Amino acid sequence: MPIASPEVYAEMLDRAKAGAFAYPAINVTSSQTLNAALQGFAEAGSDGIIQISTGGAEYVSGPTVKNMVTGAVALAEFATEVAKHYPINIALHTDHCPKNKLDGYVRPLLAISKERVANGKAPLFQSHMWDGSAVPVEENLQIAEELLAQAAAAHIILEIEVGVVGGEEDGVSAAIDDKLYSTVEDGLATAAALGLGEKGRYMTALTFGNVHGVYKPGNVKLRPEILKEIQEAVGAKYGKEKPFDLVFHGGSGSLLSEIHGALDYGVVKMNIDTDTQYAFTRPVVDHMLKNYDGVLKIDGEVGNKKAYDPRAWGKLAENGLAKRVVEACEHLRSTGTTLAK
């Protein structure tokens, strides 16, 4: 299947909310991790979301280039070509973009998609994230309103974050304190500023104790009931059930019961990065430790080309990440739900 059209992406999100499941949104940093994510979604029979952060896009452009737009465009074009060979729908998304990187990342990408749409083509990405968690809510929503208008014009969905995700990701960090919990007032302010679809479609990352990074199960104090409270309060005011399409950030170490609670309250997208990074790297470590005398030219020997060929350990890495994507689909109830059936 080709990359999801704006219409297909909208249908994916609608079906997820109606069916109380969510799509794993897998962060990628290379063609290998992208291929692995595609493999995992196909094996699970699930549509999905593949995303790239500012740091990931910079990395893809090359260590001596470090151009976020170049990396993002290159990866999107690569994904558009290779995704044609998989029997699932994939949406492309850009992850966390703080205020100081908007002009170097999201805004140029929106401009590229606007030009593509004007020429009768599909947008390059299907959604973009504005991370306004580090600025006051009023400024966050003001910028979101501006970006939403631009995104809607290019047939793109915007993702915003209202609240704060603790921990650190790509240089964006926050303390682990009471600010990790969005409020009903935050939800009402969001609906007042951005509407509920009439100004353009958007997803909302409301926070309920989410923390980026690596944590053992039970160490992250999530309160999914906050999502229910906000959905009900906003829904009561506007006469709409589950008015927000919600996003779950910082889910590593979450209990399955907490994840399922969030799905029931309207989460349609869950970001997964830390766990898939480990799933990709762990098989490589295993290969290197078991074949150290082959991947290294020890004591003047020549090593074993079959052991140090990047394809040898690369395939293992991709399979490891793919398996973690399959597991994510199972946890998020998206297994077997592809629209491509």
Side-chain angles (χ1 to χ4, degrees):
M1 299 290 290
I3 293 295
S5 66
E7 295 76 17
V8 168
Y9 191 24
E11 186 178 356
M12 285 168 56
L13 299 180
D14 288 341
R15 291 180 78 243
K17 186 188 284 187
F21 67 88
Y23 298 105
I26 307 301
N27 280 74
V28 299
T29 54
S30 65
S31 60
Q32 278 191 298
T33 50
L34 187 148
N35 281 332
L38 289 171
Q39 177 185 331
F41 283 124
E43 290 176 356
S46 171
D47 298 327
I49 299 169
I50 289 176
Q51 60 189 24
I52 186 165
S53 66
T54 56
E58 186 178 86
Y59 177 78
V60 169
S61 75
T64 61
V65 176
K66 295 184 177 181
N67 185 294
M68 295 180 288
V69 173
T70 295
V73 170
L75 196 79
E77 294 286 10
F78 178 82
T80 299
E81 186 60 34
V82 297
K84 296 175 183 177
H85 301 282
Y86 291 84
I88 50 172
N89 297 288
I90 293 295
L92 300 178
H93 175 79
T94 60
D95 197 17
H96 289 276
C97 182
K99 181 180 177 181
N100 66 339
K101 294 184 179 180
L102 282 174
D103 288 342
Y105 195 49
V106 166
R107 288 190 175 113
L109 291 173
L110 282 171
I112 290 171
S113 285
K114 181 180 178 181
E115 183 177 355
R116 287 170 60 98
V117 169
N119 291 326
K121 298 180 180 180
L124 187 62
F125 283 85
Q126 286 66 60
S127 51
H128 292 294
M129 182 190 176
W130 148 235
D131 183 353
S133 61
V135 302
V137 172
E138 295 79 8
E139 183 182 3
N140 181 352
L141 294 176
Q142 182 180 14
I143 293 173
E145 189 171 8
E146 169 225 328
L147 293 173
L148 181 60
Q150 295 176 27
H155 305 164
I156 289 170
I157 294 172
L158 183 70
E159 179 184 331
I160 65 169
E161 184 172 311
V162 182
V164 177
V165 176
E168 187 274 335
E169 182 175 45
D170 265 358
V172 179
S173 60
I176 300 175
D177 55 26
D178 289 344
K179 293 182 180 179
L180 302 186
Y181 302 95
S182 297
T183 65
V184 167
E185 289 71 27
D186 292 335
L188 291 169
T190 299
L194 305 182
L196 292 175
E198 67 275 11
K199 295 183 179 181
R201 186 160 187 169
Y202 63 94
M203 296 180 282
T204 311
L206 297 174
T207 57
F208 51 103
N210 319 56
V211 179
H212 288 133
V214 184
Y215 296 87
K216 293 182 179 179
N219 281 14
V220 177
K221 306 302 180 184
L222 293 177
R223 294 171 54 198
E225 66 275 9
I226 286 176
L227 303 180
K228 181 175 184 287
E229 294 169 6
I230 295 174
Q231 291 276 45
E232 288 180 346
V234 176
K237 180 172 181 178
Y238 292 93
K240 189 174 183 180
E241 185 179 1
K242 294 181 184 176
F244 291 127
D245 295 332
L246 299 179
V247 181
F248 188 157
H249 286 216
S252 297
S254 300
L255 300 175
L256 196 56
S257 60
E258 294 169 333
I259 293 174
H260 287 171
L263 301 184
D264 292 338
Y265 302 143
V267 165
V268 295
K269 172 180 180 281
M270 180 174 175
N271 290 10
I272 300 175
D273 187 15
T274 302
D275 291 349
T276 46
Q277 286 178 346
Y278 183 77
F280 184 82
T281 301
R282 182 63 183 83
V284 180
V285 175
D286 186 62
H287 176 82
M288 298 302 174
L289 291 177
K290 289 180 178 178
N291 298 279
Y292 73 94
D293 54 346
V295 297
L296 297 176
K297 297 181 179 182
I298 300 172
D299 296 331
E301 293 298 326
V302 296
N304 181 351
K305 183 180 183 302
K306 291 183 178 180
Y308 60 74
D309 184 332
R311 290 169 293 183
W313 49 264
K315 291 176 184 176
L316 298 174
E318 290 183 33
N319 285 333
L321 194 156
K323 288 179 181 178
R324 185 60 184 85
V325 172
V326 171
E327 181 183 342
C329 291
E330 293 172 353
H331 289 173
L332 298 182
R333 306 170 176 161
S334 70
T335 302
T337 63
T338 179
L339 288 167
K341 291 192 297 182

